[in-house]
Every structure is written in structure tokens, then in C-alpha cells.
Amino acid sequence: MRIAPSILSADFSKLATEIERVEAAGAAQLHLDVMDGHYVPNLTFGPMIVEAVRRTTTLPLDVHLMIEHADTHVDAYVDAGADMVAVHPETLYHPHLALTEIQKRGKKAGIAINPGTSFASIEELIAIADYAIIMAVNPGWGGQKFIEGSFERARRLRRLAVDRETSLSIEIDGGMNAERVPQAAEAGIDVVIAGSAVFKADDPAAAVADMLQAASV
Ligand code: DX5
Ligand code: ZN
């Protein structure tokens, strides 16, 4: 299992140091939450920050787009250094096309699935997406409470992917911490995304190490 710290809860005045510390502790990728103040009320950052992060690390950058018209911004995020780009299918008229456009740029394409989204509506996308982010909170803010039942949704998604004979990396995003990591491992989750549990901890590096340790027992 891979741990992906979400920089949303990091101290942006010392972002490079924060990233170096979690990387040294074993984080396998970084999660970057892009919010536009429209699709979600919160407003975070755009390609400039992604590009700045790109210069601080060689870790894969997973850019989670919580924005309207995400398809028209894919190129900007890929140019900024994203290795993986995830979209919320409900924000797009043509989500299938958006995923293929990301892949045409040689990057991994993801679908972010909200707690209220029915799998029936995204089943066709499972066949082409490289990864899926199961949202265990409603998107918009770090530090929210984990919604129970999210691991079960991850299991159902895995069964759908197996039925369609497609390999899908499954990530879980929101309310995660070391205590919940064993359940995530049991549910077959590939990547645990954690924001506040890492960057609001006294020692973010120790928090990553704790999560890795919890994944291995
Ligand atoms: C929420 C974001 C998450 C957020 C997770 O909209 O997609 O990635 O950073 O933060 P925590 O781990 O604090 O719930
Ligand atoms: Zn996210």
C-alpha cells in the first residue's frame, strides 16, 4: 500500500521542507487538491503551485481536480508536471473523452467518486480509467470526518473492476489516519491519501511512518 500525503493541510510557507520530510519518511506519491470555488466552495491553487511542487520532488504527483470544465485545464496541469490527473465525472459533459485526453498526454487518468455517486453512473469509465479515488468525505475541505461505508464502496468498486477484467488502482481520500489504515489494507486499497493526519501532526514524517507501519501489520 502506498501513502499519498495531501498538501492541502501543509504549511505553504515551507512547502518544500514539508514535502522533503514526508518523502524521506516513505510517502510514495503526493496528492494535490485543486479547487475552484465553483464545483466546491473552497479555492486552493492552480498550475503554478503544481509546477513549484514539481521542482521540489521526484515523487509522482496526483492532481485531484475539483473544478468545473476540468477537461479544458488538463493540458495546463500536465504541463505543470502532473503524473496523474483525476476528474470528477459529474463535472464533465464528456468524462470518457477527458480520460482519454489525459492518457494521450502519457499520464494516468483517474475518476474521483463522491460518497453520493452511484457506481451505475460511472461503470463505463471503470473500463478505461487507470485509477479511481473513492471519496470518503464530500469534496471541498481537509479535516472532515470519514464517512462510514466508504471501505465497502471500495470493495464494490474492486468487484466491478474484476468483473470487467480491468486493472484499476483504488485510492481512498478523506478522513484517513493510521488507525483506519488496516481496514483500508483489508479492503484492498492501493493508495491511502491523507492530509490533516499527516500535515497537522506534530511530526508529519512520523505520521507517514506510522501509516506505513499500520499497513504492514
Ligand atoms: C478533500 C480532498 C482531500 C483532503 C483530504 O476534498 O480531496 O484530498 O485533502 O484531507 P484529510 O485527510 O484531512 O481528510
Ligand atoms: Zn483530494
Side-chain angles (χ1 to χ4, degrees):
M1 176 189 285
R2 295 154 73 88
I3 304 297
S6 162
I7 65 164
L8 186 60
S9 297
D11 178 346
F12 276 66
S13 71
K14 47 175 187 183
L15 197 50
T17 318
E18 297 259 81
I19 290 169
E20 276 164 32
R21 290 170 70 193
V22 296
E23 183 170 0
Q29 69 189 44
L30 283 183
H31 185 83
L32 283 73
D33 288 305
V34 175
M35 306 185 190
D36 66 353
H38 294 277
Y39 172 60
V40 291
N42 198 7
L43 183 64
T44 58
F45 52 78
M48 266 176 63
I49 297 286
V50 176
E51 196 271 327
V53 170
R54 177 73 293 160
R55 281 185 280 118
T56 70
T57 181
T58 54
L59 288 178
L61 302 185
D62 177 12
V63 175
H64 177 190
L65 297 179
M66 286 161 276
I67 63 176
E68 292 179 353
H69 311 294
D71 47 350
T72 62
H73 297 278
V74 163
D75 279 336
Y77 288 97
V78 170
D79 291 344
D83 301 285
M84 310 164 66
V85 179
V87 298
H88 281 258
E90 67 278 8
T91 64
L92 295 161
Y93 287 124
H94 306 293
H96 185 284
L97 182 62
L99 295 177
T100 56
E101 293 295 336
I102 295 165
Q103 290 165 336
K104 264 194 220 155
R105 296 279 326 256
K107 307 302 171 187
K108 293 221 158 42
I111 44 173
I113 308 170
N114 283 341
T117 298
S118 158
F119 288 161
S121 69
I122 46 103
E123 197 176 338
E124 298 310 316
L125 302 175
I126 292 171
I128 71 153
D130 297 298
Y131 69 109
I133 301 178
I134 291 281
M135 296 302 299
V137 297
N138 284 291
W141 310 94
Q144 300 184 78
K145 194 174 169 298
F146 181 89
I147 297 173
E148 297 302 331
S150 299
F151 292 130
E152 182 46 35
R153 277 167 68 72
R155 283 198 179 86
R156 279 172 48 211
L157 184 68
R158 176 69 73 203
R159 287 198 290 270
L160 280 174
V162 168
D163 286 349
R164 298 197 62 130
E165 296 179 350
T166 183
S167 71
L168 185 73
S169 174
I170 299 182
E171 310 193 341
I172 192 148
D173 187 11
M176 284 300 298
N177 53 32
E179 290 77 68
R180 288 203 173 85
V181 162
Q183 284 173 273
E186 257 176 66
I189 283 164
D190 302 291
V191 177
V192 166
I193 296 159
S196 47
V198 171
F199 289 112
K200 298 286 187 212
D202 292 338
D203 182 347
V208 170
D210 284 351
M211 294 181 98
L212 284 168
Q213 164 82 20
S216 63
V217 287

